[in-house]
Amino acid sequence: MNIPFNHPRRESLLIRERLVDGFRNGIVAPEGLIAHGRGECFDYILGEKTQEFALRAIEAAAAAILLANHPVISVNGNVAALVPEYIVKLAEETGALIEVNLFYRTREREEAIKQHLLSHGAREVLGVGEDASATIPELFSERRRVSPRGILIADVVLVPLEDGDRTEALKRLGKFVVTIDLNPLSRTARTADVTIIDNVVRAMPLLVEKVRELKGRDRGVLKETISRYNNNETLQEALRFISHRLVELASRELRIRV
Ligand code: ATP
Ligand code: MG
């Protein structure tokens, strides 16, 4: 598709194209396309920019991943299609393991995601086929399967664009959960320990950059960063930002005259 350079929704349309390509290549589930639309709506309202509350969450997330003994990055189809190179970079910088973790699990999609990540330089991808042999209690059917070398024994899990049921299950297992989710009202956003309210395409590069910056820091300083961080404040600030922005927009001339 040819999108003119001055098209006001160019960025957003390019992201859509990546997802549609992912769908055609068996990486993205049809439901993943719909989930993206829900995210896009919040991104529109947030002004399609990384806001202050997201930057603070990114700092806390970087500190938590660097302090972890066994960090795992959970990847679904949308995340694999949108930011494969940054998943690989984050794993390299932190020693985190990468695990495929699908809401709509099929052997073909798991394998397609694994191959996609390997082609972007991932050394190992857990959670595919026989490797997803452990189960998370309380979750049903295929959604409960995890890798015994990955999420099962992880202390910190990054779950971008995760479903609320599974985030709750991870919390009950005692994991420290970091998420990236554009919707500050989703159950995942409200259950996680650190919620980066931003588009995954903007948040992941910033998270990799932050990890690089904080890598050499004293562990005490990183622990301090996490204890200072308050996720409820992040959620509140995001909602305040949205309400102020809408009130401000509502006082302007909105009609577009052509
Ligand atoms: P929950 O189950 O946590 O209550 P939900 O049922 O509303 O959330 P799901 O489809 O389960 O939504 O989860 C997908 C989440 O990912 C949504 O909150 C959506 O806003 C978010 N999302 C979709 N695309 C992106 C993106 N590109 N960047 C960040 N977040 C996104
Ligand atoms: Mg859900």
Side-chain angles (χ1 to χ4, degrees), residues 74-89:
S74 162
V75 179
N76 63 22
N78 287 37
V79 173
L82 291 176
V83 284
E85 61 274 56
Y86 293 100
I87 295 296
V88 172
K89 280 183 191 157

Side-chain angles (χ1 to χ4, degrees), residues 35-36 38-39 42 82 161-165 180-183 186-189 198-200:
H36 183 74
R38 181 172 291 171
F42 283 95
L82 291 176
L161 284 58
E162 181 57 288
D163 170 62
D165 286 344
I180 303 172
D181 191 326
L182 278 160
N183 178 3
S186 77
R187 279 177 309 146
T188 292
D198 197 12
N199 197 316
V200 73

Side-chain angles (χ1 to χ4, degrees), residues 202-222:
R202 293 189 301 268
M204 277 301 296
L206 292 171
L207 182 57
V208 170
E209 205 178 287
K210 197 40 112 182
V211 155
R212 284 183 180 143
E213 179 192 328
L214 298 185
K215 221 171 160 179
R217 299 273 166 91
D218 190 74
R219 287 178 74 83
V221 174
L222 297 178

Side-chain angles (χ1 to χ4, degrees), residues 72-162:
V72 171
I73 308 168
S74 162
V75 179
N76 63 22
N78 287 37
V79 173
L82 291 176
V83 284
E85 61 274 56
Y86 293 100
I87 295 296
V88 172
K89 280 183 191 157
L90 186 64
E92 259 170 27
E93 294 288 341
T94 62
L97 298 177
I98 301 173
E99 175 164 346
V100 176
N101 180 24
L102 305 184
F103 193 93
Y104 301 98
R105 203 179 255 284
T106 68
R107 190 61 210 263
E108 293 72 31
R109 185 166 305 114
E110 281 172 19
E111 201 51 62
I113 291 171
K114 179 177 174 176
Q115 290 312 323
H116 188 61
L117 292 169
L118 291 177
S119 76
H120 281 84
R123 281 188 217 173
E124 193 184 14
V125 178
L126 303 176
V128 176
E130 302 306 305
D131 185 58
S133 58
T135 54
I136 298 182
E138 296 171 60
L139 285 181
F140 299 107
S141 68
E142 293 300 282
R143 292 168 55 196
R144 62 200 284 174
R145 288 173 49 188
V146 290
S147 168
R149 292 189 294 140
I151 290 176
L152 189 73
I153 58 167
D155 50 355
V156 174
V157 205
L158 171 64
V159 283
L161 284 58
E162 181 57 288

